[in-house]
Short mmCIF file of all heavy atoms in Angstrom, two decimals:
data_model
loop_
_atom_site.label_atom_id
_atom_site.label_comp_id
_atom_site.label_asym_id
_atom_site.label_seq_id
_atom_site.Cartn_x
_atom_site.Cartn_y
_atom_site.Cartn_z
N SER A 1421 0.75 -1.21 0.01
CA SER A 1421 0.01 -0.01 0.00
C SER A 1421 0.82 1.32 0.01
O SER A 1421 0.51 2.28 -0.70
CB SER A 1421 -0.95 0.00 1.20
OG SER A 1421 -1.77 -1.10 1.19
N TYR A 1422 1.95 1.29 0.79
CA TYR A 1422 2.81 2.40 0.83
C TYR A 1422 4.15 1.90 0.38
O TYR A 1422 4.68 0.95 0.89
CB TYR A 1422 2.87 2.99 2.25
CG TYR A 1422 1.50 3.47 2.73
CD1 TYR A 1422 0.77 2.56 3.51
CD2 TYR A 1422 1.01 4.69 2.38
CE1 TYR A 1422 -0.51 3.00 4.01
CE2 TYR A 1422 -0.24 5.11 2.79
CZ TYR A 1422 -0.96 4.30 3.62
OH TYR A 1422 -2.20 4.70 4.03
N PRO A 1423 4.81 2.69 -0.52
CA PRO A 1423 6.11 2.20 -1.14
C PRO A 1423 7.19 1.86 -0.17
O PRO A 1423 8.01 0.98 -0.36
CB PRO A 1423 6.53 3.40 -2.00
CG PRO A 1423 5.29 4.08 -2.38
CD PRO A 1423 4.39 3.88 -1.14
N GLY A 1424 7.19 2.50 0.99
CA GLY A 1424 8.24 2.26 1.97
C GLY A 1424 7.96 1.08 2.96
O GLY A 1424 8.79 0.63 3.68
N ASP A 1425 6.73 0.57 2.91
CA ASP A 1425 6.29 -0.43 3.92
C ASP A 1425 6.95 -1.76 3.61
O ASP A 1425 7.07 -2.17 2.45
CB ASP A 1425 4.82 -0.63 3.91
CG ASP A 1425 4.12 0.54 4.58
OD1 ASP A 1425 4.81 1.43 5.08
OD2 ASP A 1425 2.85 0.58 4.60
N TYR A 1426 7.31 -2.48 4.65
CA TYR A 1426 7.79 -3.86 4.61
C TYR A 1426 9.15 -4.07 3.95
O TYR A 1426 9.61 -5.24 3.76
CB TYR A 1426 6.72 -4.79 3.83
CG TYR A 1426 5.36 -4.59 4.34
CD1 TYR A 1426 4.44 -3.99 3.53
CD2 TYR A 1426 4.97 -5.11 5.60
CE1 TYR A 1426 3.16 -3.83 3.97
CE2 TYR A 1426 3.73 -4.92 6.03
CZ TYR A 1426 2.79 -4.28 5.29
OH TYR A 1426 1.47 -4.14 5.67
N THR A 1427 9.87 -3.04 3.49
CA THR A 1427 10.98 -3.23 2.65
C THR A 1427 11.89 -2.04 2.70
O THR A 1427 11.48 -0.93 2.88
CB THR A 1427 10.58 -3.47 1.24
OG1 THR A 1427 11.80 -3.61 0.44
CG2 THR A 1427 9.70 -2.50 0.67
N GLY A 1428 13.18 -2.30 2.56
CA GLY A 1428 14.22 -1.17 2.39
C GLY A 1428 14.37 -0.79 0.98
O GLY A 1428 14.94 0.27 0.76
N LYS A 1429 13.86 -1.49 0.06
CA LYS A 1429 13.99 -1.18 -1.33
C LYS A 1429 12.63 -1.33 -2.04
O LYS A 1429 11.93 -2.34 -1.92
CB LYS A 1429 15.00 -2.13 -2.02
CG LYS A 1429 16.41 -1.93 -1.48
CD LYS A 1429 17.38 -2.89 -2.26
CE LYS A 1429 18.82 -2.63 -1.82
NZ LYS A 1429 19.77 -3.52 -2.54
N THR A 1430 12.31 -0.41 -2.92
CA THR A 1430 11.12 -0.47 -3.70
C THR A 1430 11.31 -1.50 -4.80
O THR A 1430 10.40 -2.33 -5.08
CB THR A 1430 10.76 0.84 -4.43
OG1 THR A 1430 10.57 1.87 -3.40
CG2 THR A 1430 9.48 0.78 -5.25
N THR A 1431 12.54 -1.63 -5.40
CA THR A 1431 12.84 -2.64 -6.40
C THR A 1431 14.16 -3.33 -5.88
O THR A 1431 15.06 -2.57 -5.56
CB THR A 1431 13.05 -2.08 -7.78
OG1 THR A 1431 11.87 -1.37 -8.15
CG2 THR A 1431 13.35 -3.13 -8.81
N ALA A 1432 14.14 -4.61 -5.91
CA ALA A 1432 15.31 -5.37 -5.40
C ALA A 1432 15.64 -6.51 -6.30
O ALA A 1432 14.80 -7.02 -7.02
CB ALA A 1432 14.98 -5.87 -4.00
N PHE A 1433 16.92 -6.88 -6.28
CA PHE A 1433 17.37 -8.07 -7.02
C PHE A 1433 16.83 -9.35 -6.36
O PHE A 1433 16.70 -9.43 -5.15
CB PHE A 1433 18.96 -8.13 -7.00
CG PHE A 1433 19.56 -9.33 -7.64
CD1 PHE A 1433 19.44 -9.48 -8.99
CD2 PHE A 1433 20.08 -10.37 -6.89
CE1 PHE A 1433 19.96 -10.64 -9.60
CE2 PHE A 1433 20.64 -11.48 -7.46
CZ PHE A 1433 20.57 -11.62 -8.85
N ILE A 1434 16.46 -10.30 -7.19
CA ILE A 1434 15.87 -11.52 -6.74
C ILE A 1434 16.47 -12.71 -7.52
O ILE A 1434 16.72 -12.53 -8.71
CB ILE A 1434 14.36 -11.58 -6.83
CG1 ILE A 1434 13.70 -12.78 -6.13
CG2 ILE A 1434 13.87 -11.47 -8.25
CD1 ILE A 1434 12.21 -12.73 -6.11
N TYR A 1435 16.75 -13.81 -6.82
CA TYR A 1435 17.20 -15.07 -7.51
C TYR A 1435 16.61 -16.25 -6.99
O TYR A 1435 16.15 -16.21 -5.77
CB TYR A 1435 18.73 -15.07 -7.45
CG TYR A 1435 19.28 -15.26 -6.08
CD1 TYR A 1435 19.54 -16.53 -5.58
CD2 TYR A 1435 19.58 -14.16 -5.25
CE1 TYR A 1435 20.03 -16.73 -4.29
CE2 TYR A 1435 20.07 -14.34 -3.99
CZ TYR A 1435 20.36 -15.67 -3.54
OH TYR A 1435 20.90 -15.81 -2.24
N SER A 1436 16.56 -17.28 -7.80
CA SER A 1436 15.82 -18.54 -7.34
C SER A 1436 16.38 -19.77 -8.06
O SER A 1436 16.08 -19.97 -9.27
CB SER A 1436 14.30 -18.38 -7.64
OG SER A 1436 13.60 -19.50 -7.28
N PRO A 1437 17.06 -20.63 -7.34
CA PRO A 1437 17.49 -21.97 -7.91
C PRO A 1437 16.47 -22.97 -7.45
O PRO A 1437 15.80 -22.82 -6.41
CB PRO A 1437 18.90 -22.20 -7.23
CG PRO A 1437 18.77 -21.48 -5.91
CD PRO A 1437 17.83 -20.27 -6.13
N GLY A 1438 16.32 -24.05 -8.24
CA GLY A 1438 15.35 -25.08 -7.91
C GLY A 1438 15.68 -26.40 -8.57
O GLY A 1438 16.51 -26.50 -9.43
N VAL A 1439 14.88 -27.41 -8.25
CA VAL A 1439 14.95 -28.78 -8.79
C VAL A 1439 13.52 -29.30 -8.87
O VAL A 1439 12.67 -28.89 -8.10
CB VAL A 1439 15.87 -29.62 -7.89
CG1 VAL A 1439 15.24 -29.82 -6.51
CG2 VAL A 1439 16.15 -31.02 -8.56
N GLY A 1440 13.28 -30.20 -9.90
CA GLY A 1440 11.95 -30.72 -9.97
C GLY A 1440 11.82 -31.87 -10.86
O GLY A 1440 12.83 -32.39 -11.41
N TYR A 1441 10.63 -32.27 -11.13
CA TYR A 1441 10.30 -33.50 -11.89
C TYR A 1441 9.06 -33.21 -12.74
O TYR A 1441 8.05 -32.59 -12.30
CB TYR A 1441 9.96 -34.69 -10.94
CG TYR A 1441 9.72 -36.00 -11.66
CD1 TYR A 1441 10.88 -36.77 -12.04
CD2 TYR A 1441 8.51 -36.43 -11.95
CE1 TYR A 1441 10.65 -38.01 -12.73
CE2 TYR A 1441 8.22 -37.70 -12.59
CZ TYR A 1441 9.34 -38.45 -12.95
OH TYR A 1441 9.20 -39.61 -13.58
N THR A 1442 9.11 -33.53 -14.01
CA THR A 1442 8.03 -33.34 -15.00
C THR A 1442 7.27 -34.58 -15.30
O THR A 1442 7.87 -35.63 -15.59
CB THR A 1442 8.58 -32.73 -16.32
OG1 THR A 1442 9.17 -31.37 -16.00
CG2 THR A 1442 7.46 -32.48 -17.32
N ILE A 1443 5.97 -34.47 -15.34
CA ILE A 1443 5.10 -35.60 -15.69
C ILE A 1443 4.30 -35.23 -16.97
O ILE A 1443 3.54 -34.28 -16.98
CB ILE A 1443 4.04 -35.97 -14.57
CG1 ILE A 1443 4.83 -36.45 -13.36
CG2 ILE A 1443 3.16 -37.12 -15.03
CD1 ILE A 1443 3.90 -36.71 -12.14
N PRO A 1444 4.57 -35.89 -18.13
CA PRO A 1444 3.83 -35.62 -19.42
C PRO A 1444 2.35 -35.89 -19.19
O PRO A 1444 1.96 -36.84 -18.53
CB PRO A 1444 4.50 -36.53 -20.37
CG PRO A 1444 5.76 -36.92 -19.85
CD PRO A 1444 5.56 -36.93 -18.33
N LEU A 1445 1.50 -35.06 -19.83
CA LEU A 1445 0.01 -35.29 -19.75
C LEU A 1445 -0.60 -35.03 -21.14
O LEU A 1445 -0.03 -34.34 -21.93
CB LEU A 1445 -0.57 -34.23 -18.81
CG LEU A 1445 -0.11 -34.21 -17.32
CD1 LEU A 1445 -0.68 -32.99 -16.58
CD2 LEU A 1445 -0.51 -35.56 -16.66
N GLY A 1446 -1.65 -35.69 -21.40
CA GLY A 1446 -2.33 -35.49 -22.66
C GLY A 1446 -1.69 -36.11 -23.85
O GLY A 1446 -0.73 -36.92 -23.68
N TYR A 1447 -2.20 -35.79 -25.04
CA TYR A 1447 -1.68 -36.34 -26.25
C TYR A 1447 -0.32 -35.98 -26.55
O TYR A 1447 0.16 -34.86 -26.61
CB TYR A 1447 -2.61 -35.78 -27.42
CG TYR A 1447 -2.25 -36.29 -28.75
CD1 TYR A 1447 -2.42 -37.66 -29.08
CD2 TYR A 1447 -1.75 -35.45 -29.71
CE1 TYR A 1447 -2.11 -38.10 -30.33
CE2 TYR A 1447 -1.37 -35.90 -31.00
CZ TYR A 1447 -1.55 -37.22 -31.29
OH TYR A 1447 -1.25 -37.77 -32.52
N ARG A 1448 0.55 -37.09 -26.63
CA ARG A 1448 1.96 -36.99 -26.92
C ARG A 1448 2.74 -36.04 -25.92
O ARG A 1448 3.68 -35.44 -26.32
CB ARG A 1448 2.20 -36.42 -28.37
CG ARG A 1448 1.79 -37.41 -29.45
CD ARG A 1448 2.12 -36.88 -30.82
NE ARG A 1448 1.73 -37.88 -31.84
CZ ARG A 1448 1.92 -37.71 -33.14
NH1 ARG A 1448 2.42 -36.52 -33.54
NH2 ARG A 1448 1.51 -38.50 -34.00
N GLY A 1449 2.16 -35.94 -24.78
CA GLY A 1449 2.84 -35.09 -23.74
C GLY A 1449 2.85 -33.64 -24.00
O GLY A 1449 3.75 -32.94 -23.52
N ARG A 1450 1.98 -33.18 -24.81
CA ARG A 1450 1.95 -31.75 -25.20
C ARG A 1450 1.79 -30.86 -23.94
O ARG A 1450 2.41 -29.84 -23.87
CB ARG A 1450 0.71 -31.53 -26.18
CG ARG A 1450 0.64 -30.06 -26.62
CD ARG A 1450 -0.51 -29.90 -27.53
NE ARG A 1450 -0.61 -28.50 -27.97
CZ ARG A 1450 -0.04 -28.03 -29.03
NH1 ARG A 1450 0.78 -28.77 -29.76
NH2 ARG A 1450 -0.20 -26.70 -29.35
N ASN A 1451 1.04 -31.32 -23.03
CA ASN A 1451 0.88 -30.68 -21.70
C ASN A 1451 1.60 -31.44 -20.68
O ASN A 1451 1.95 -32.63 -20.88
CB ASN A 1451 -0.61 -30.50 -21.31
CG ASN A 1451 -1.40 -29.67 -22.32
OD1 ASN A 1451 -0.85 -28.88 -23.03
ND2 ASN A 1451 -2.69 -29.99 -22.38
N SER A 1452 1.95 -30.81 -19.57
CA SER A 1452 2.67 -31.58 -18.54
C SER A 1452 2.47 -30.85 -17.21
O SER A 1452 1.89 -29.79 -17.05
CB SER A 1452 4.21 -31.62 -18.84
OG SER A 1452 4.75 -30.26 -18.90
N ALA A 1453 2.90 -31.56 -16.14
CA ALA A 1453 2.89 -31.00 -14.80
C ALA A 1453 4.23 -31.06 -14.18
O ALA A 1453 4.99 -32.02 -14.36
CB ALA A 1453 1.84 -31.79 -13.93
N ASP A 1454 4.65 -30.00 -13.45
CA ASP A 1454 5.89 -29.90 -12.82
C ASP A 1454 5.66 -29.93 -11.31
O ASP A 1454 4.83 -29.30 -10.76
CB ASP A 1454 6.67 -28.61 -13.10
CG ASP A 1454 7.28 -28.65 -14.46
OD1 ASP A 1454 7.30 -29.71 -15.14
OD2 ASP A 1454 7.86 -27.61 -14.92
N PHE A 1455 6.53 -30.75 -10.59
CA PHE A 1455 6.56 -30.80 -9.15
C PHE A 1455 8.02 -30.61 -8.70
O PHE A 1455 8.91 -31.27 -9.19
CB PHE A 1455 6.08 -32.14 -8.61
CG PHE A 1455 4.64 -32.43 -9.12
CD1 PHE A 1455 4.33 -33.10 -10.27
CD2 PHE A 1455 3.59 -32.05 -8.31
CE1 PHE A 1455 3.07 -33.42 -10.65
CE2 PHE A 1455 2.24 -32.27 -8.71
CZ PHE A 1455 2.01 -32.95 -9.84
N GLY A 1456 8.18 -29.65 -7.77
CA GLY A 1456 9.65 -29.42 -7.38
C GLY A 1456 9.76 -28.66 -6.10
O GLY A 1456 8.77 -28.47 -5.33
N LEU A 1457 10.97 -28.21 -5.85
CA LEU A 1457 11.31 -27.39 -4.66
C LEU A 1457 12.30 -26.36 -5.06
O LEU A 1457 13.20 -26.55 -5.88
CB LEU A 1457 11.95 -28.38 -3.66
CG LEU A 1457 12.16 -27.80 -2.22
CD1 LEU A 1457 10.80 -27.66 -1.54
CD2 LEU A 1457 13.03 -28.80 -1.42
N PHE A 1458 12.10 -25.13 -4.56
CA PHE A 1458 13.04 -24.04 -4.88
C PHE A 1458 13.34 -23.13 -3.64
O PHE A 1458 12.54 -23.12 -2.67
CB PHE A 1458 12.51 -23.27 -6.08
CG PHE A 1458 11.20 -22.43 -5.76
CD1 PHE A 1458 11.39 -21.08 -5.28
CD2 PHE A 1458 10.00 -22.90 -5.86
CE1 PHE A 1458 10.29 -20.29 -5.01
CE2 PHE A 1458 8.87 -22.08 -5.61
CZ PHE A 1458 8.98 -20.85 -5.17
N TYR A 1459 14.36 -22.41 -3.77
CA TYR A 1459 14.83 -21.45 -2.83
C TYR A 1459 14.70 -20.07 -3.48
O TYR A 1459 15.15 -19.94 -4.67
CB TYR A 1459 16.20 -21.67 -2.35
CG TYR A 1459 16.89 -20.66 -1.53
CD1 TYR A 1459 16.80 -20.62 -0.19
CD2 TYR A 1459 17.70 -19.65 -2.13
CE1 TYR A 1459 17.42 -19.57 0.57
CE2 TYR A 1459 18.27 -18.62 -1.41
CZ TYR A 1459 18.10 -18.67 -0.02
OH TYR A 1459 18.81 -17.71 0.71
N GLU A 1460 14.25 -19.00 -2.83
CA GLU A 1460 14.07 -17.70 -3.42
C GLU A 1460 14.56 -16.67 -2.44
O GLU A 1460 14.13 -16.68 -1.29
CB GLU A 1460 12.64 -17.48 -3.91
CG GLU A 1460 12.42 -16.14 -4.60
CD GLU A 1460 11.03 -16.06 -5.10
OE1 GLU A 1460 10.71 -16.42 -6.19
OE2 GLU A 1460 10.21 -15.50 -4.31
N ASN A 1461 15.34 -15.71 -2.96
CA ASN A 1461 15.75 -14.55 -2.08
C ASN A 1461 15.60 -13.24 -2.73
O ASN A 1461 16.13 -13.00 -3.81
CB ASN A 1461 17.17 -14.83 -1.64
CG ASN A 1461 17.69 -13.78 -0.67
OD1 ASN A 1461 16.87 -13.06 0.01
ND2 ASN A 1461 19.02 -13.56 -0.62
N ARG A 1462 14.80 -12.36 -2.12
CA ARG A 1462 14.68 -10.91 -2.50
C ARG A 1462 15.72 -10.25 -1.65
O ARG A 1462 15.54 -10.09 -0.47
CB ARG A 1462 13.30 -10.43 -2.27
CG ARG A 1462 13.13 -8.98 -2.73
CD ARG A 1462 11.69 -8.51 -2.37
NE ARG A 1462 11.34 -7.36 -3.18
CZ ARG A 1462 11.54 -6.12 -2.87
NH1 ARG A 1462 12.20 -5.77 -1.77
NH2 ARG A 1462 11.13 -5.11 -3.68
N VAL A 1463 16.77 -9.84 -2.25
CA VAL A 1463 17.95 -9.29 -1.56
C VAL A 1463 17.69 -7.90 -0.99
O VAL A 1463 17.33 -6.95 -1.75
CB VAL A 1463 19.23 -9.30 -2.46
CG1 VAL A 1463 20.42 -8.74 -1.65
CG2 VAL A 1463 19.49 -10.65 -3.04
N GLU A 1464 17.88 -7.82 0.36
CA GLU A 1464 17.58 -6.53 1.03
C GLU A 1464 18.63 -6.33 2.10
O GLU A 1464 19.18 -7.34 2.53
CB GLU A 1464 16.19 -6.46 1.61
CG GLU A 1464 15.06 -6.62 0.65
CD GLU A 1464 14.03 -5.56 0.88
OE1 GLU A 1464 14.33 -4.60 1.53
OE2 GLU A 1464 12.95 -5.65 0.23
N PRO A 1465 18.80 -5.11 2.64
CA PRO A 1465 19.64 -4.94 3.79
C PRO A 1465 19.12 -5.77 4.95
O PRO A 1465 17.94 -5.80 5.24
CB PRO A 1465 19.50 -3.43 4.14
CG PRO A 1465 19.07 -2.80 2.77
CD PRO A 1465 18.21 -3.86 2.12
N GLY A 1466 19.96 -6.45 5.68
CA GLY A 1466 19.55 -7.24 6.82
C GLY A 1466 19.09 -8.61 6.50
O GLY A 1466 18.66 -9.36 7.32
#
């Protein structure tokens, strides 16, 4: 609601590594579902 709330930066660098598994779905696997786990960090002071 307010640009300064909850954060030291209005715009911050973010990165996210992860790992997962894909299951093909539908005709010839055109569609699929992903299941995985990831880590994400919005880099801020502190």
